[in-house]
Amino acid sequence: MKLKIIGLTGGIASGKSTVSKVLKELGAIIVDADKIARDVVKKGEKSLEEIEETFGKEVINKDGTLDRKKLGKIVFSDYRKLRLLNAITHPRIKEKVYEEFEYYRNRNENIIFFDCPLLYESKYENDVTETWLIYVDKETQIDRLVKRDNIKKEEAIKRINAQKLLVDKIELSDIIVYNSFSIEELKNDVLILYSGYTNTKIIDNLEYMKKNSSH
């Protein structure tokens, strides 16, 4: 049976991580691009060495790990430097992503979700069966990012503009999940969607989620 890979994407502070968490609670298999991206820049990894060579020792903590905050300030204020960082990390991230896909194919899984905020920017759209876009209007996105990361509005706008705007991803995506309302409404929408893909009753998935959320 062919593996169905659903690309789960959005933007910073769009609610994609919340959707991914709900899906995981419902029993879905998640391949997390952000986790893989963190793994490839761990202490001792070649990517971290190249980042230090490119951006300097100031982006490395005393314990030899990556100072993400300092690196973020550098790359989100200079698109050229962001491209340099992507050139270092993206090939290694893609290699690991494809290894995960192959692992689940070999296990004869029916469906997995590929949680990837930069799905379109990183040209993964041809590697997935379809895409779900977690969408929120830009003003709400800015407001949520300011509150979440305790940063100024100008900094939030820079980070958002460093990615492809959510409004530009709408026509590229198969399913649009609107997240301008409450978390409860978002969870309910995801629950209904996932139940349709797995041919299971909504009530069964709801009980599963309640049970797992209580731990």
Side-chain angles (χ1 to χ4, degrees):
M1 187 177 292
K2 187 176 180 181
L3 174 66
K4 177 182 286 238
I5 302 173
I6 297 180
L8 182 65
T9 193
I12 190 168
S14 67
K16 179 192 59 59
S17 296
T18 300
V19 171
S20 185
K21 182 181 177 183
V22 171
L23 287 166
K24 191 172 183 179
E25 288 172 348
L26 291 167
I29 295 170
I30 309 291
V31 174
D32 188 339
D34 278 348
K35 180 183 181 301
I36 293 171
R38 290 191 296 271
D39 288 344
V40 302
V41 294
K42 281 183 176 178
K43 187 176 179 180
E45 293 290 333
K46 185 66 177 174
S47 292
L48 186 59
E49 293 176 17
E50 292 181 13
I51 288 170
E52 183 177 355
E53 290 169 5
T54 304
F55 298 99
K57 292 187 179 296
E58 62 267 27
V59 300
I60 305 298
N61 292 313
K62 289 182 180 179
D63 64 359
T65 58
L66 180 64
D67 189 326
R68 296 178 180 278
K69 197 169 184 179
K70 284 185 181 176
L71 182 61
K73 283 185 177 180
I74 292 170
V75 300
F76 286 124
S77 61
D78 187 332
Y79 184 66
R80 185 184 64 84
K81 290 179 180 177
L82 179 60
R83 290 184 67 183
L84 283 174
L85 176 62
N86 290 342
I88 293 169
T89 59
H90 281 194
R92 294 184 175 103
I93 293 169
K94 279 204 167 188
E95 182 181 350
K96 296 292 183 183
V97 165
Y98 293 149
E99 284 178 5
E100 292 257 341
F101 288 172
E102 194 58 29
Y103 171 76
Y104 289 113
R105 281 194 187 95
N106 291 336
R107 274 182 38 171
N108 294 317
E109 296 290 347
N110 295 328
I111 182 171
I112 64 172
F113 287 83
F114 177 40
D115 180 345
C116 183
L118 300 179
L119 188 142
Y120 295 115
E121 294 88 336
S122 301
K123 311 296 182 186
Y124 283 113
E125 61 265 39
N126 293 326
D127 298 311
V128 299
T129 312
E130 64 181 65
T131 55
W132 290 12
L133 172 66
I134 314 307
Y135 179 83
V136 65
D137 65 88
K138 192 172 182 180
E139 284 306 311
T140 302
Q141 188 181 14
I142 292 168
D143 184 56
R144 288 176 179 173
L145 183 57
V146 166
K147 290 176 181 175
R148 190 192 76 182
D149 290 2
N150 193 28
I151 57 177
K152 292 182 179 179
K153 185 175 180 178
E154 294 74 18
E155 178 66 21
I157 292 171
K158 278 184 183 178
R159 293 190 186 185
I160 290 168
N161 288 342
Q163 300 179 351
K164 192 178 185 71
L165 297 180
L166 289 177
V167 70
D168 295 330
K169 296 180 181 181
I170 290 176
E171 289 189 2
L172 302 172
S173 304
D174 298 294
I175 301 290
I176 314 299
V177 181
Y178 291 93
N179 183 29
S180 297
F181 307 105
S182 68
I183 291 179
E184 288 70 25
E185 288 174 284
L186 176 65
K187 286 182 176 181
N188 187 61
D189 288 344
V190 174
L191 180 63
I192 292 169
L193 269 173
Y194 183 66
S195 294
Y197 281 77
T198 57
N199 296 318
T200 56
K201 295 177 182 178
I202 291 177
I203 191 65
D204 292 339
N205 276 338
L206 184 60
E207 290 303 317
Y208 185 94
M209 188 161 66
K210 282 181 179 177
K211 188 186 299 181
N212 282 270
S213 296
S214 65
H215 293 316

Tab-separated table of all heavy atoms in Angstrom, residues 46-57 59-60 88:
chain	number	residue	atom	x	y	z
A	46	LYS	N	28.579	18.325	11.936
A	46	LYS	CA	29.299	19.096	10.928
A	46	LYS	C	28.622	20.435	10.647
A	46	LYS	O	29.298	21.450	10.424
A	46	LYS	CB	29.389	18.279	9.631
A	46	LYS	CG	30.224	18.923	8.540
A	46	LYS	CD	31.694	19.006	8.919
A	46	LYS	CE	32.525	19.594	7.797
A	46	LYS	NZ	33.936	19.814	8.192
A	47	SER	N	27.304	20.464	10.668
A	47	SER	CA	26.580	21.714	10.411
A	47	SER	C	26.942	22.786	11.431
A	47	SER	O	27.081	23.966	11.080
A	47	SER	CB	25.062	21.473	10.447
A	47	SER	OG	24.650	20.693	9.364
A	48	LEU	N	27.089	22.387	12.685
A	48	LEU	CA	27.430	23.363	13.729
A	48	LEU	C	28.826	23.933	13.500
A	48	LEU	O	29.050	25.142	13.685
A	48	LEU	CB	27.339	22.720	15.112
A	48	LEU	CG	27.540	23.694	16.291
A	48	LEU	CD1	26.509	24.808	16.257
A	48	LEU	CD2	27.475	22.944	17.619
A	49	GLU	N	29.733	23.088	13.078
A	49	GLU	CA	31.096	23.562	12.775
A	49	GLU	C	31.065	24.598	11.650
A	49	GLU	O	31.734	25.633	11.721
A	49	GLU	CB	31.986	22.376	12.364
A	49	GLU	CG	32.256	21.371	13.477
A	49	GLU	CD	33.060	20.183	12.970
A	49	GLU	OE1	33.663	20.292	11.869
A	49	GLU	OE2	33.079	19.147	13.659
A	50	GLU	N	30.279	24.325	10.620
A	50	GLU	CA	30.187	25.247	9.489
A	50	GLU	C	29.487	26.549	9.865
A	50	GLU	O	29.832	27.622	9.357
A	50	GLU	CB	29.462	24.565	8.325
A	50	GLU	CG	30.272	23.423	7.718
A	50	GLU	CD	29.571	22.755	6.541
A	50	GLU	OE1	28.579	23.327	6.037
A	50	GLU	OE2	30.017	21.673	6.132
A	51	ILE	N	28.522	26.465	10.772
A	51	ILE	CA	27.849	27.675	11.254
A	51	ILE	C	28.833	28.557	12.010
A	51	ILE	O	28.865	29.784	11.831
A	51	ILE	CB	26.645	27.305	12.149
A	51	ILE	CG1	25.514	26.738	11.288
A	51	ILE	CG2	26.149	28.518	12.942
A	51	ILE	CD1	24.377	26.133	12.075
A	52	GLU	N	29.660	27.938	12.843
A	52	GLU	CA	30.669	28.704	13.590
A	52	GLU	C	31.662	29.363	12.641
A	52	GLU	O	32.038	30.529	12.816
A	52	GLU	CB	31.401	27.797	14.575
A	52	GLU	CG	32.412	28.539	15.437
A	52	GLU	CD	33.081	27.657	16.470
A	52	GLU	OE1	32.689	26.468	16.593
A	52	GLU	OE2	34.008	28.140	17.153
A	53	GLU	N	32.081	28.630	11.619
A	53	GLU	CA	33.023	29.177	10.632
A	53	GLU	C	32.414	30.353	9.865
A	53	GLU	O	33.095	31.322	9.541
A	53	GLU	CB	33.431	28.088	9.634
A	53	GLU	CG	34.317	27.004	10.231
A	53	GLU	CD	34.487	25.813	9.288
A	53	GLU	OE1	33.981	25.897	8.142
A	53	GLU	OE2	35.101	24.808	9.692
A	54	THR	N	31.119	30.272	9.597
A	54	THR	CA	30.437	31.283	8.782
A	54	THR	C	30.014	32.504	9.592
A	54	THR	O	30.169	33.643	9.138
A	54	THR	CB	29.192	30.673	8.103
A	54	THR	OG1	29.599	29.532	7.340
A	54	THR	CG2	28.519	31.688	7.185
A	55	PHE	N	29.487	32.286	10.811
A	55	PHE	CA	28.895	33.380	11.580
A	55	PHE	C	29.720	33.802	12.793
A	55	PHE	O	29.397	34.805	13.443
A	55	PHE	CB	27.480	33.000	12.021
A	55	PHE	CG	26.554	32.754	10.867
A	55	PHE	CD1	26.284	31.465	10.433
A	55	PHE	CD2	25.950	33.804	10.201
A	55	PHE	CE1	25.425	31.222	9.362
A	55	PHE	CE2	25.096	33.593	9.130
A	55	PHE	CZ	24.840	32.293	8.707
A	56	GLY	N	30.761	33.049	13.101
A	56	GLY	CA	31.638	33.436	14.202
A	56	GLY	C	31.318	32.747	15.517
A	56	GLY	O	30.248	32.155	15.683
A	57	LYS	N	32.262	32.852	16.449
A	57	LYS	CA	32.136	32.182	17.746
A	57	LYS	C	31.031	32.775	18.612
A	57	LYS	O	30.598	32.146	19.584
A	57	LYS	CB	33.465	32.252	18.499
A	57	LYS	CG	34.580	31.421	17.875
A	57	LYS	CD	35.812	31.399	18.752
A	57	LYS	CE	36.923	30.554	18.132
A	57	LYS	NZ	36.528	29.120	18.020
A	59	VAL	N	28.003	33.015	18.065
A	59	VAL	CA	26.745	32.263	17.990
A	59	VAL	C	26.862	30.898	18.673
A	59	VAL	O	25.945	30.084	18.606
A	59	VAL	CB	26.273	32.077	16.529
A	59	VAL	CG1	26.050	33.420	15.863
A	59	VAL	CG2	27.232	31.219	15.726
A	60	ILE	N	27.986	30.671	19.339
A	60	ILE	CA	28.207	29.407	20.048
A	60	ILE	C	28.247	29.667	21.545
A	60	ILE	O	28.965	30.561	22.026
A	60	ILE	CB	29.535	28.741	19.601
A	60	ILE	CG1	29.563	28.555	18.076
A	60	ILE	CG2	29.730	27.405	20.318
A	60	ILE	CD1	28.486	27.639	17.523
A	88	ILE	N	23.777	25.690	4.561
A	88	ILE	CA	24.507	24.783	5.456
A	88	ILE	C	23.606	23.666	5.964
A	88	ILE	O	23.982	22.489	5.957
A	88	ILE	CB	25.091	25.562	6.656
A	88	ILE	CG1	26.189	26.518	6.186
A	88	ILE	CG2	25.628	24.602	7.724
A	88	ILE	CD1	26.637	27.513	7.253
